Amino acid sequence: MLEQTLSEWKTACNIASYIGWNVGETRKTRLQSLAYDDVRDRTRLGSQHAILAIHQAAAALAGVEEIEGLDEDYDTSRPMFTSDTLTYDARTMTLFDDDSVSLATAGTGARIRCDLALPDDETGYQRQYLDDERWELTESTLSKRNGDWYLHLGFRKPKPESRDETKPGDEDRTVLGVDLGIVNIATTSTAYFASGRELRHRHREFDRIRSGLQRTGTRSAHQTIQRLSGREHRCVRQTLHEIVNNILREAIDYDCTVIAVENLTHIRERAPPAKEFHQWAHRKLVDLLEYKAESEGIQVAFVSPEYTSQRCPECGHTSAENRVRQATFECENCGATANADYVGAKNIGWRYVRRGQQSSRRTGDSRLALKSGTVQPNRGFIPAD
């Protein structure tokens, strides 16, 4: 029954992949509306497994779109599903207290019940998820390998309450400003600098190898380019994960409830075509930041970055002449000097704070997190305890 379900699953994923590829659709809900009837008519999967298969295909199509964002000079292929792995969720799988699990199958809709092969020692790491009610079951994967079946159970904690839910008003928040750049891919108002040097170096190296393969022009070279781009994509994502984790650590350490980031529309408008890689990297960084911040109950807010690299955070004087060099800011009015990216991060966070002050619904006092304390519109700088 599992063999049949696995076969039907791969068929369903390939049907959805074919439909999405032909119309250029990678969004889960849109692809679901396009492919659901075909999948149900042409496979024996139940309704929920059909939806999960379509979502799997959408994710694979979106992954191809991301890889293309790294290099537009080669063609990619439609994702094909051949691996012996299928997805289950809380609707298609039930976990019981006696360490057994029931799994939905294709065809008659019958379920099979299996014992989980857990370690005999009940102090194993699995117990912290199986026996703790704070964790809930989420999407999991069933894989066949060398004739055996492995169930990789996924758990998550329910979405926590917002970290600022106990505050007296929507504007009474501590804000972390984040500037996105090229030399430093991200800089926070608390003076955390995430260098973009490693990303630039890796991209140049991959690009150099890729250019040589493109000149070769053989089918083998084309396949190597695809593998190479997938490897670059994974390397970049790993680096971005580490950067996002560090930004969140700053937000948590300084008890921030909001992370203010510049609107990505402005990045696309101001960055030249040669910086397309950095646009892609910034977009992925913000996507990861939103996803991870939500699990911590922290809001990610967007503000216009206009003039944030030219405004002096000390006296408010705004001029293009304040930006002496790419990395140096020196106010022509008050003489204050600082790293330009750090100035941008402070101004981005400050813009969000001022937005709250100007709101007609203002009921509290927001503050901007700095390395050595906070600053508020009405009280000025307050050093950390």
Side-chain angles (χ1 to χ4, degrees):
M1 294 171 73
L2 288 179
E3 290 276 10
Q4 182 188 36
T5 305
L6 178 61
S7 175
E8 297 290 314
W9 167 266
K10 289 188 280 190
T11 299
C13 289
N14 284 318
I15 291 170
S17 173
Y18 180 82
I19 293 173
W21 182 265
N22 285 340
V23 300
E25 186 57 74
T26 64
R27 291 166 292 183
K28 291 181 179 180
T29 53
R30 295 292 183 87
L31 185 57
Q32 181 178 324
S33 65
L34 292 172
Y36 179 78
D37 288 342
D38 276 4
V39 170
R40 290 304 307 278
D41 289 343
R42 296 168 59 186
T43 71
R44 303 181 66 192
L45 291 181
S47 60
Q48 183 61 18
H49 252 148
I51 292 171
L52 291 174
I54 295 168
H55 290 181
Q56 182 80 8
L61 291 166
V64 170
E65 191 175 65
E66 290 176 355
I67 292 173
E68 286 181 334
L70 294 174
D71 192 320
E72 301 291 345
D73 296 333
Y74 69 94
D75 295 327
T76 52
S77 303
R78 176 175 68 86
M80 296 290 290
F81 293 84
T82 58
S83 64
D84 290 337
T85 301
L86 68 150
T87 301
Y88 279 87
D89 65 0
R91 293 186 180 183
T92 52
M93 169 182 63
T94 303
L95 196 60
F96 295 98
D97 291 338
D98 63 355
D99 294 340
S100 66
V101 63
S102 71
L103 302 171
T105 60
T108 62
R111 288 186 171 226
I112 62 169
R113 188 158 175 170
C114 314
D115 292 327
L116 294 175
L118 296 170
D120 294 332
D121 184 358
E122 292 192 359
T123 62
Y125 79 90
Q126 295 93 343
R127 291 295 170 190
Q128 65 182 296
Y129 306 104
L130 292 168
D131 299 339
D132 192 335
E133 293 183 355
R134 291 176 300 176
W135 293 93
E136 64 181 22
L137 194 64
T138 185
E139 284 194 5
S140 305
T141 55
L142 181 70
S143 301
K144 183 186 178 185
R145 188 167 67 246
N146 298 326
D148 293 323
W149 294 88
Y150 296 87
L151 182 61
H152 300 268
L153 293 169
F155 289 90
R156 67 182 174 192
K157 286 186 178 179
K159 182 180 176 181
E161 293 183 353
S162 174
R163 293 169 64 89
D164 64 336
E165 220 166 46
T166 59
K167 299 290 184 182
D170 285 344
E171 289 75 34
D172 191 7
R173 301 175 173 184
T174 302
V175 180
L176 181 73
V178 177
D179 177 78
L180 303 178
I182 294 176
V183 174
N184 293 308
I185 193 167
T187 306
T188 72
S189 59
T190 54
Y192 162 67
F193 293 86
S195 173
R197 182 179 303 171
E198 182 181 359
L199 285 176
R200 295 196 308 274
H201 172 72
R202 285 181 176 179
H203 180 61
R204 284 195 296 266
E205 286 298 303
F206 278 117
D207 201 44
R208 179 181 60 80
I209 299 171
R210 190 160 41 228
S211 296
L213 290 169
Q214 286 169 346
R215 286 193 295 270
T216 301
T218 63
R219 178 176 176 81
S220 175
H222 172 73
Q223 293 172 339
T224 303
I225 288 173
Q226 288 185 302
R227 291 194 299 271
L228 185 71
S229 294
R231 191 182 312 152
E232 179 183 9
H233 176 250
R234 291 189 294 274
C235 289
V236 171
R237 281 187 65 91
Q238 178 60 35
T239 301
L240 295 178
H241 271 287
E242 294 171 1
I243 293 171
V244 167
N245 288 340
N246 289 333
I247 293 173
L248 281 176
R249 191 173 296 114
E250 292 288 304
I252 293 170
D253 288 347
Y254 286 87
D255 200 26
C256 295
T257 55
V258 177
I259 298 175
V261 186
E262 57 186 287
N263 191 315
L264 293 180
T265 302
H266 293 264
I267 291 178
R268 289 193 293 271
E269 291 174 350
R270 75 171 190 251
K275 305 301 182 183
E276 286 181 359
F277 167 74
H278 292 90
Q279 295 180 43
W280 177 87
H282 286 143
R283 188 169 65 249
K284 296 310 300 177
L285 186 148
V286 171
D287 287 345
L288 288 169
L289 185 60
E290 285 189 284
Y291 168 73
K292 293 193 174 190
E294 182 182 13
S295 67
E296 297 290 344
I298 298 174
Q299 177 190 352
V300 175
F302 297 92
V303 300
S304 169
E306 191 173 14
Y307 303 120
T308 52
S309 64
Q310 302 175 14
R311 177 187 180 277
C312 176
E314 303 300 327
C315 70
H317 177 68
T318 303
S319 169
E321 302 302 318
N322 288 346
R323 188 73 177 263
V324 180
R325 289 181 295 277
Q326 189 281 328
T328 305
F329 180 96
E330 182 175 349
C331 180
E332 62 179 1
N333 180 57
C334 70
T337 61
N339 178 277
D341 292 334
Y342 180 53
V343 168
K346 291 169 69 174
N347 282 330
I348 286 169
W350 190 246
R351 180 159 291 176
Y352 183 85
V353 170
R354 297 293 296 177
R355 177 198 293 176
Q357 290 291 315
Q358 296 163 2
S359 170
S360 60
R361 300 182 293 107
R362 189 180 73 81
T363 57
D365 292 312
S366 291
R367 62 196 66 81
L368 174 64
L370 302 176
K371 184 174 182 60
S372 55
T374 61
V375 60
Q376 292 179 241
N378 299 328
R379 298 180 58 189
F381 176 73
I382 304 172
D385 295 335

